[in-house]
Each structure stands twice: as C-alpha cells, then as structure tokens.
Amino acid sequence: MSDFLLKDELNRSLEGRFKRTTDYDAVAVLVIYWKKCKNKGYKDEAHKVGELFSQDFGYSVQYYGIPSIDSELEMDARINTYLRDNRKVDTLLIIHYGGHGNADDEYGQSQESVWCAESDADSPSLKWSNIQPKLAQHNSEVLLLLDCCYGSQAARDSLSRRRSPIPRNLELFAACGMGEKTVGPGRYSFTSLLIAELRAQLTIRKFAVVAIAHKNMASKDSLLAQSAVYFPFEKKNGTTRLEPFKKPGSSDIGIIAEAASLVLQLSITDNDRQAFEEVIEWLKLNPPRTVSKVVVENIITTASGVYSYASSQEDGSRSMGSFKKFPEPAKRDISSTWGAFNTTIAALATSLRKFPTLFVSSDPLDRSDVAGDFVHQLDRCLRPLESAIERNIMSLPELNDETVLLTAIDDKIMEDLGFVETLNLRLVANFGVRTEGGSGLEVDLDSSKIKDNGPFLNLSIQDIPPLGRVLVECKDYDELTTNKSILAVSKKRMEKLAGLLNSSKSADFHTLTCLRFFVDSQLGRSGLIFAIPEESRQCQISLRDIIRKVVGKYKPTLGQRFHIAHTIGKAIAKWHLVGWVHQGVASHNIVFFYDETHGIDYSKPYLCGFGYSRESDAPSTSRLVENFEANVYRHPDRQGWPSKFHRKEHDIYAYGVLLLEIGLWKAVETFFDEKERKSITPYAMGQKILRTSKELLGHSMDTLYEQAASTCLSGDFGVKQDDITQSCLAAAFDIQVLGKIGRGVAFEQ
C-alpha cells in the first residue's frame, strides 16, 4: 500500500474518535438472575446493579430472570435478542450475572462456566460457555461481570484449542478464580463491593475504569474475601471506561472545542502495516479527554524508497529490481514517469517561493496552508512513479520462477519499495500455499440454509460457529462440474483461491479476508467464507442493489461515485499485477457495509465474486451463460460458449460496463428493451454499450471519465504488441483509465 493510501486509511480509523466526551454512542445493560431462586438476595442485588447503571450513569438497563425450564435455550434466545436490539456501532454491552455457579468437574466434565438456580446437584442449570462465543458477533465492546462461584471458568479453554474462549471484544471481570467459591449476597459480596468501587471512582474522577476497579478490589486492603479475576480486551489489551450520560438512555455526546494543537513526530522501528496499526490502537486506547483530534499528517516510508530508487537508476546491484535488468520499454516507462515527477516538483517549488508568508499557520494541522498542500501534492505525484516501478518489476518474466520469486521476496530493495506483499501474493497465486495437507481452510458446511439470490452469486451474511458473523459467497456447480475428475480440479482451484484470499494483503486490493471454503456435494454448491472487518458496519448490500433501490439523499455523491470507480479499478489492477484475473467484475459483486444509524459506508467498496477467478495464464472455465443481466458484463468474445480464454482485457471490459453504471447511475441491462434482450448478438450488445458511454457519460461525470470508460469498452489502448505478462496493457490501463478517473477524484476532494 502506498504511504498516501495508508495515511488516509489510518485517519479514517481515527476520525471522530476524539471529538466526544464518551467512548460510546449508547450503553445497554442486561442484568441476569434466576427467576426462581431461594436466596432473594441475588434478585435484590441485581436491582441495585440496575440502579447504579441507570441512575448514576444514565445507561439503558433491562432485567432478565432465567426460567427453570429450558434454561439454556431461553438464555440463548435472550442473548440473541439482546445482540440484535443493540447492533448499532459504538454500543457498549454490559452483562451482569449474580447467582450460583457449578464447578462442572464431576465425571470428566469440562470445568467450564455453568450457572445454576441453586447449589444443589439437581438444580436447573445452563452452560454459559456455550453461549458466550456469540458475543463476538457484536461490533463493539462487551463487559461481562460474573458474581458467581467458579466465575473465571468462563475463560477456560476446555478443548485445548490454543485460543482464548473469551471473544476479542469482551472484557471479563469475575468474582473468583477456577475451583473457588465466592461470598453470597450481602455487604461483602462481589456485587456490593463493585457497586461501591464504581461509585467511588465516579465521585473522584467523574468516570470509572474497570481495570482500576479490579486493581482496587484485588488489593490487600479490599474487603473482598476471595481474589477477583480480570481479563482485559484481547484485541487492544485495553479496558472499559464508564462515563455517565447526562440524560438516562441517551449518549449526549459532547463536542470538544479545539483551543490549541501539538505536532508530534513518531519514529518506529518496523516499516510494516501491523506496526502502524499498533500505533493507531495505542493512540486510541485511553486518551485524555482534552485531546479532540489526532491526524496522521505524513508517512515517509515507501515514498523515500521510491525516490531513492528512481533517482539512482544506474544502480548496478544484483537486485531483481535493478534498473539495468528491465527491458527497454520498461526503462522508458519508468524514466518518463520520473521526468514527469521532477517537472511537477519543480512547479510546486516555484509556487511555494511565491507565497513564503503562508508557511505560518495558526493551526499546524490545517491542510489549507501552502506547505500542507505541498506535502499532499508531493504524495499524490509520487504515486504514478511508485505504480510504474511496481508494475514493471511485477512484469519481469523471471518472477514466474519460484526460486527467483523467493529471492525477490527477501530482497532489501523490494522491502524498501513496499512490494514484498505483492510478491508474496504472486507466490501463492502461482504456486499455492506450501503446507502439508493443503491450506487447511476447507470446512464442512450445510449450505441448504443459504438463500438463493437469483442468477447472481450469492452474497449473504451468516452466523457460522465457530467463525461467528461472516459473509458467505457461494455458487452452484456447472453441469459439467459434477464429473468427478472435473470436480477434483475445481476443488483444487477453490483451495488455491481461498489460500490467496486468506493471505495478508493491503487495503489496495479491496478484498475481504477469506477464512474458509466449502464444497457441498449434496446440493452441488461450493463457496468462500469471508471475515467482516471489525470496524465495518454489520449489514451488506451490493452496488447493483444500491443503484436499483437507494434513492434521494442516501445515494452516493458525485465525489463518492468517482471514488468507488477509481477504487475498484485500482483493485483490479493490483490483482492483475499478482497474476490473477477476476472473471466476474460486475455491480452485483461489489459489496458495501451499512447499518441503520450511519447508512452505507461508500468509502470502502469490496470486490467479491471470486468464484471463477484464476491465474491469468491458466485456462478459464468455458461455461454457457444465458442470463442477460450477467452477459452484459461479459466481453463479446466470452459470451455463449466462449471461443477464447478469459484474459485481463476481458476484466477491463467488464470494468468499463461498471464505469457506465456508476456514471449514469443505472443498471446496464435497463438500456435494452425486451426484444433486444432476446435477440441481440454479443457484438451488437457491446457496440450499444460503447455508444451509450460515448454519448451520455461525459454529461453526467466528465469528459475524462467518459474517455476512460470508452477505452475499457473498446479495448483501444494503442497496444499493438505486448509481452507474456501484458505489461504494456497494464501501463496503458494505469495511464489512460486510472489516471483520468483519478483526476476526477482529486478534483472532487
């Protein structure tokens, strides 16, 4: 990922994090006890917990009495409702249970978390450890408070899975450890002392911190008879900060006025994505409330590597990226881009000299000053140079050799340029995941519950234990695929694809991480299972459905449409660099996430529909597609029984159709009447789409956008002769398509 894109992504994750007086938009508390328990003290303390959170903190509180019949089923149903009713982003869930616990250690039992109505062996009970994993589906944090005997057994990994049974978004504070009993209701109970501790913190600090509560209650001065046990959030090793809302049931998020600013420069030892993400999580962890904004102004990593590389082109090193090793067309490509970069820098420097007084700004984070604009433009003009170097390196035929590819991955120059990730993906794409017994990503799945989505690949959000809430993409076998030998080849390809989509990759690829794949031979289906990004909204919708159904102010703005078009184009180009063709670029395979509160997140489109994708030099699937809505995206050479293998230019043609849809904001099939749909030839279909692009797109977007779309549809890139990796086509696509659409993106910004 380029420094510019990484900077934007980091800033989006920080956006809005500090301009508020509370960490959450809402807090929903669920207080649990047994409906029929002889010791009424548990119910009394439950209501005291409710009073604390509702009256002192202003949170929404609900009570639930566990019934004695079908206890676990009823508890499971209540948790499902609780999660569904509070699925809005930035909603903290607090669950408190006060009651008896069972050791779960007789006759080879697993010693997990078991709640029971009484301490008797034959008491109604439920296994909380069976229900707890569902809390991972919540898109914010969960605080679990357990006042029961053997409370910390909720953290026990009885199956030796070498991973915590506590979801990464859950913070656990339990009254006692494994095999220990706690004090019952009363003055010295865990619940009573916790209420007192939180109220004391609220009085002193105006907020309460769970980690501090554990520290104080576990100290030798505490009145707690046993040692309380605490597990922080795994995903950020953090803790919950409980801050009162001014009015019960509402967040009343206060906006903090900006009175001053401080500019810091951070130096980090690692130059990788994880290092930057760790810094961002650190910044977000527990900032003082006086911090109202944090902005990443610049990242100098790949940019300095690109500049150093391009300015020393006569380097005689043995590196795979050595300039001397490039063929002449590649040298000319990089040299011309380097020349354009220097010209732009000279022009920017001249403009700066004209306005020396504008270097001083009252707000160092204000991008409107000339110096800030210089950094922004410098970043922007470095990107074509970086792209030129990357595509020419990735086009070297030597990289089709596994040994050479492995050497390149360890090359210091490749690391400095930020290309190692793309090289790793090329390795997986060409040679698969090198582990014994395959990728280990296959899972048995009954796909009968997955709904049919008409003629298009099914994309739906499902709850699949133990993966949790995931996005499932599945497709039916072709008739030919039922042949056992062909099925085996198809399964092997699916395994390779899953391994590729599971591999680490930057946000430039705009693809979800694949967790598993499945082949359901009973129903003749196969599919991929994707993780939903942690920070994303929890419902999905395709671009096709947005175009057809979303109206008014909920439609994307002109700037957002430029961004969507440019983002998907860059993603296709990145996959082509890896050596992989998509073979299904279409609006129904572009996915966005949304929720009822914040709407659709147009900043993050994801490219899906990889079911037929494959290596660019491998034979493509010859399949008869008779559905008109699917055929409109297919190049005329690939309709009916295809006469040619699917190549990169066929992906580019489909992208041109997508540009038409985004530009005119209409589904492409609507340009054809019923008669045409039944009788039109593939060639005539392509010509009509091209004419529509040339006649209408310039008015709704701009001339450059129309030229980009029409070039994709006509295939007229001016490339008469190309190498085996189609590097000339890649360069032409970058300049004639992405470059032109990118100008529209920059203008809208």
Side-chain angles (χ1 to χ4, degrees):
M1 174 186 283
S2 71
D3 296 336
F4 181 83
L5 290 172
L6 178 59
K7 179 179 69 178
D8 275 3
E9 183 172 328
L10 295 178
N11 280 328
R12 279 197 299 270
S13 71
L14 287 165
E15 196 174 70
R17 174 64 178 81
F18 301 93
K19 281 194 172 185
R20 54 200 300 170
T21 57
T22 62
D23 285 339
Y24 302 99
D25 290 348
V27 180
V29 183
L30 181 62
V31 185
I32 304 171
Y33 55 90
W34 285 89
K35 186 180 293 185
K36 294 182 179 180
C37 178
K38 295 176 183 177
N39 190 337
K40 302 301 180 184
Y42 287 117
K43 185 174 181 179
D44 293 340
E45 287 195 346
H47 283 275
K48 290 179 181 178
V49 170
E51 290 171 4
L52 167 75
F53 286 122
S54 63
Q55 296 179 13
D56 295 50
F57 287 91
Y59 299 162
S60 171
V61 176
Q62 293 184 343
Y63 300 92
Y64 179 66
I66 306 172
S68 299
I69 299 174
D70 293 331
S71 305
E72 188 166 328
L73 289 174
E74 295 293 339
M75 184 76 256
D76 183 69
R78 184 64 185 87
I79 290 297
N80 288 338
T81 302
Y82 180 53
L83 291 172
R84 185 172 59 250
D85 291 347
N86 298 287
R87 60 189 173 195
K88 293 181 180 179
V89 177
D90 291 332
T91 296
L92 171 67
L93 303 184
I94 301 177
I95 300 174
H96 176 279
Y97 168 69
H100 294 287
N102 188 296
D104 192 39
D105 61 355
E106 295 182 1
Y107 312 113
Q109 290 176 316
S110 54
Q111 291 183 287
E112 293 184 312
S113 180
V114 175
W115 301 350
C116 47
E118 307 292 347
S119 56
D120 305 334
D122 58 351
S123 166
S125 64
L126 64 89
K127 180 166 281 192
W128 172 252
S129 292
N130 291 340
I131 301 173
Q132 181 173 279
K134 287 191 172 185
L135 300 178
Q137 299 173 23
H138 184 55
N139 53 28
S140 189
E141 282 74 42
V142 181
L143 171 61
L144 179 60
L145 305 169
L146 297 182
D147 186 4
C148 60
C149 298
Y150 320 107
S152 72
Q153 289 181 192
R156 174 170 164 72
D157 180 12
S158 64
L159 300 179
S160 299
R161 293 165 292 195
R162 297 184 181 180
R163 59 181 174 83
S164 174
I166 304 176
R168 296 178 68 236
N169 64 329
L170 187 143
E171 183 177 22
L172 172 63
F173 191 13
C176 58
M178 181 175 172
E180 293 183 345
K181 294 186 177 183
T182 186
V183 176
R187 181 180 178 184
Y188 301 111
S189 73
F190 171 79
T191 295
S192 294
L193 295 175
L194 176 63
I195 291 172
E197 167 64 26
L198 295 180
R199 280 197 171 124
Q201 286 194 44
L202 196 57
T203 300
I204 297 169
R205 295 186 175 88
K206 308 303 180 185
F207 61 87
V209 178
V210 175
I212 295 175
H214 169 254
K215 178 182 176 182
N216 292 340
M217 292 175 67
S219 71
K220 63 181 181 180
D221 297 326
S222 172
L223 298 175
L224 193 63
Q226 66 289 329
S227 296
V229 179
Y230 171 69
F231 296 87
F233 295 119
E234 178 189 333
K235 70 176 183 179
K236 61 180 181 180
N237 197 28
T239 183
T240 305
R241 175 169 166 151
L242 301 172
E243 295 160 294
F245 293 154
K246 291 183 179 180
K247 294 180 180 180
S250 66
S251 61
D252 193 27
I253 303 171
I255 302 300
I256 303 173
E258 297 177 16
S261 60
L262 174 67
V263 179
L264 300 175
Q265 177 175 315
L266 294 177
S267 297
I268 59 177
T269 55
D270 293 323
N271 176 17
D272 60 23
R273 181 184 181 83
Q274 183 178 355
F276 287 109
E277 289 177 344
E278 287 174 353
V279 170
I280 293 300
E281 288 300 330
W282 168 63
L283 289 170
K284 291 161 63 177
L285 189 55
N286 262 318
R289 281 292 174 258
T290 52
V291 176
S292 63
K293 178 169 66 174
V294 172
V295 175
V296 179
E297 269 298 293
N298 201 18
I299 299 172
I300 304 174
T301 55
T302 306
S304 59
V306 170
Y307 182 87
S308 175
Y309 175 87
S311 59
S312 57
Q313 293 176 358
E314 298 307 315
D315 182 307
S317 73
R318 296 181 179 180
S319 167
M320 173 57 61
S322 174
F323 187 75
K324 284 187 175 181
K325 293 184 179 181
F326 286 124
E328 284 306 315
K331 289 180 180 179
R332 288 195 298 271
D333 184 16
I334 295 174
S335 296
S336 64
T337 312
W338 171 241
F341 170 77
N342 280 320
T343 301
T344 305
I345 293 301
L348 287 174
T350 300
S351 68
L352 283 176
R353 285 195 294 270
K354 292 180 180 178
F355 305 101
T357 58
L358 293 179
F359 273 90
V360 180
S361 171
S362 59
D363 180 3
L365 298 181
D366 185 1
R367 293 193 180 197
S368 64
D369 65 88
V370 175
D373 185 57
F374 175 81
V375 173
H376 186 69
Q377 292 192 53
L378 174 63
D379 229 351
R380 193 164 60 207
C381 65
L382 258 172
R383 278 178 285 156
L385 180 59
E386 180 186 359
S387 295
I389 296 172
E390 183 180 31
R391 69 170 175 262
N392 282 293
I393 287 176
M394 296 302 295
S395 296
L396 291 170
E398 295 91 331
L399 289 179
N400 291 321
D401 181 278
E402 184 176 11
T403 302
V404 175
L405 194 50
L406 288 168
T407 302
I409 288 171
D410 293 331
D411 192 323
K412 182 64 167 61
I413 291 180
M414 296 298 101
E415 181 181 347
D416 290 343
L417 290 169
F419 298 160
V420 170
E421 187 176 64
T422 308
L423 290 165
N424 269 315
L425 287 169
R426 168 72 69 83
L427 182 68
V428 177
N430 285 6
F431 305 103
V433 180
R434 294 306 175 96
T435 56
E436 292 185 10
S439 64
L441 296 176
E442 185 175 9
V443 64
D444 289 330
L445 179 68
D446 176 8
S447 64
S448 60
K449 296 180 181 179
I450 298 175
K451 61 184 180 181
D452 186 8
N453 203 25
F456 302 115
L457 293 182
N458 178 47
L459 291 166
S460 62
I461 290 179
Q462 306 286 334
D463 293 321
I464 300 179
L467 300 176
R469 194 171 177 81
V470 293
L471 182 71
V472 178
E473 170 192 316
C474 70
K475 66 183 182 69
D476 295 332
Y477 296 157
D478 294 326
E479 291 182 10
L480 290 175
T481 313
T482 54
N483 179 287
K484 288 185 178 180
S485 60
I486 297 179
L487 181 59
V489 172
S490 179
K491 183 176 178 180
K492 194 71 176 177
R493 181 178 289 179
M494 181 69 77
E495 182 175 24
K496 188 183 222 181
L497 173 61
L500 181 64
L501 295 174
N502 178 259
S503 301
S504 174
K505 51 192 169 295
S506 70
D508 296 15
F509 288 87
H510 290 275
T511 308
L512 299 169
T513 300
C514 181
L515 301 175
R516 298 286 190 273
F517 77 95
F518 65 89
V519 177
D520 187 343
S521 57
Q522 296 295 320
L523 290 178
R525 280 178 167 182
S526 61
L528 301 164
I529 302 173
F530 294 95
I532 297 175
E534 286 185 12
E535 303 301 323
S536 72
R537 298 157 196 179
Q538 293 297 296
C539 301
Q540 63 89 16
I541 185 171
S542 71
L543 177 60
R544 174 182 170 82
D545 283 341
I546 294 173
I547 291 173
R548 294 169 65 225
K549 300 176 182 178
V550 176
V551 297
K553 64 179 182 180
Y554 302 106
K555 291 164 51 178
T557 64
L558 182 63
Q560 288 171 328
R561 283 155 59 194
F562 268 106
H563 168 76
I564 293 166
H566 194 240
T567 298
I568 296 303
K570 288 191 298 180
I572 294 169
K574 289 292 284 188
W575 281 111
H576 285 181
L577 281 183
V578 169
W580 203 265
V581 289
H582 187 275
Q583 207 168 333
V585 176
S587 60
H588 52 269
N589 285 330
I590 310 299
V591 167
F592 299 83
F593 290 95
Y594 73 95
D595 61 38
E596 294 175 0
T597 302
H598 300 87
I600 301 170
D601 184 0
Y602 289 118
S603 69
K604 295 178 182 177
Y606 291 97
L607 185 59
C608 297
F610 279 86
Y612 292 102
S613 65
R614 55 173 181 79
E615 312 94 301
S616 57
D617 59 351
S620 56
T621 306
S622 292
R623 53 195 175 97
L624 177 64
V625 177
E626 297 179 323
N627 180 270
F628 184 85
E629 286 85 353
N631 267 331
V632 287
Y633 297 98
R634 293 162 65 84
H635 190 279
D637 291 342
R638 291 287 298 162
Q639 293 190 37
W641 286 108
S643 59
K644 296 182 180 180
F645 289 151
H646 189 96
R647 292 168 57 83
K648 293 176 182 177
E649 53 263 39
H650 298 144
D651 272 355
I652 292 172
Y653 175 87
Y655 175 60
V657 178
L658 190 66
L659 289 177
L660 180 65
E661 290 189 301
I662 294 171
L664 300 182
W665 206 243
K666 291 180 68 176
V668 66
E669 67 267 17
T670 62
F671 295 112
F672 299 87
D673 58 35
E674 282 300 319
K675 183 179 179 180
E676 286 178 310
R677 294 187 186 201
K678 295 177 181 179
S679 61
I680 195 167
T681 65
Y683 175 79
M685 180 191 295
Q687 287 301 301
K688 180 166 184 175
I689 292 173
L690 177 59
R691 284 197 308 274
T692 304
S693 171
K694 290 182 175 181
E695 292 170 3
L696 302 180
L697 262 185
H699 300 285
S700 59
M701 300 298 278
D702 65 17
T703 302
L704 291 177
Y705 185 98
E706 177 273 310
Q707 291 173 355
S710 297
T711 300
C712 292
L713 292 168
S714 67
D716 187 13
F717 285 95
V719 178
K720 296 180 179 179
Q721 190 172 357
D722 211 344
D723 53 41
I724 191 171
T725 60
Q726 296 184 280
S727 61
C728 295
L729 176 64
F733 181 74
D734 204 7
I735 296 167
Q736 298 179 40
V737 177
L738 296 182
K740 290 180 177 180
I741 298 174
R743 292 183 193 178
V745 174
F747 178 79
E748 287 299 319
Q749 288 176 342

